[in-house]
Amino acid sequence: MLSDDRIDTLKSAVQDCDAAREQLEEALDTAAAHDGDAKADTSVLKPVGTALADWRDAQRRFMNAVDGSGAPDPATAALLLKTNHGVDATNARCGLPGTDVDGADQPSGLDLSGGRGSVLTTVATEYL
């Protein structure tokens, strides 16, 4: 069902989503370590915004690749990737706070408690 070229495109987008999630988790941890000062500190907010935007952009590439693949929906494409190629596309399908990607139908699973949630909300509303 999926051509080799489309599989490579999907895999690349999935890897980029995974990398962006890791960067976002690290940036949120750094921001949370700043306690209440993080909301005013651009050096803390910018990495969060960059990681969130990178994840969103990689998700869009994944969804566009799904659209061009012949798969009926992202869930089917993700299932084919997992079953046939061992690639977990969970992060490519996660809804992200403050961003809207058509087809993102899974919860992000991000820990948004305390300072992490506050920083993410600030970034999503002010920078995206």
Side-chain angles (χ1 to χ4, degrees):
M1 175 182 241
L2 300 176
S3 71
D4 288 342
D5 288 343
R6 201 51 70 169
I7 290 168
D8 290 342
T9 302
L10 289 166
K11 284 181 180 180
S12 175
V14 166
Q15 290 169 347
D16 290 348
C17 285
D18 292 346
R21 182 191 176 109
E22 286 180 31
Q23 291 171 348
L24 181 59
E25 292 280 2
E26 290 173 12
L28 287 171
D29 286 344
T30 299
H34 280 80
D35 295 322
D37 299 334
K39 288 180 80 172
D41 189 348
T42 303
S43 69
V44 172
L45 296 178
K46 185 172 177 158
V48 173
T50 298
L52 192 57
D54 288 350
W55 193 356
R56 176 201 60 208
D57 295 345
Q59 281 185 319
R60 287 180 178 158
R61 284 196 331 274
F62 177 81
M63 297 305 171
N64 288 336
V66 169
D67 286 343
S69 72
D73 55 40
T76 302
L79 179 63
L80 290 169
L81 282 173
K82 181 71 172 174
T83 304
N84 297 337
H85 305 282
V87 175
D88 183 359
T90 300
N91 288 326
R93 296 180 56 212
C94 289
L96 300 175
T99 65
D100 184 30
V101 177
D102 288 339
D105 60 352
Q106 300 294 308
S108 68
L110 292 170
D111 173 12
L112 299 178
S113 61
R116 291 171 56 103
S118 177
V119 168
L120 189 62
T121 300
T122 298
V123 169
T125 57
E126 295 181 17
Y127 294 93
L128 295 179

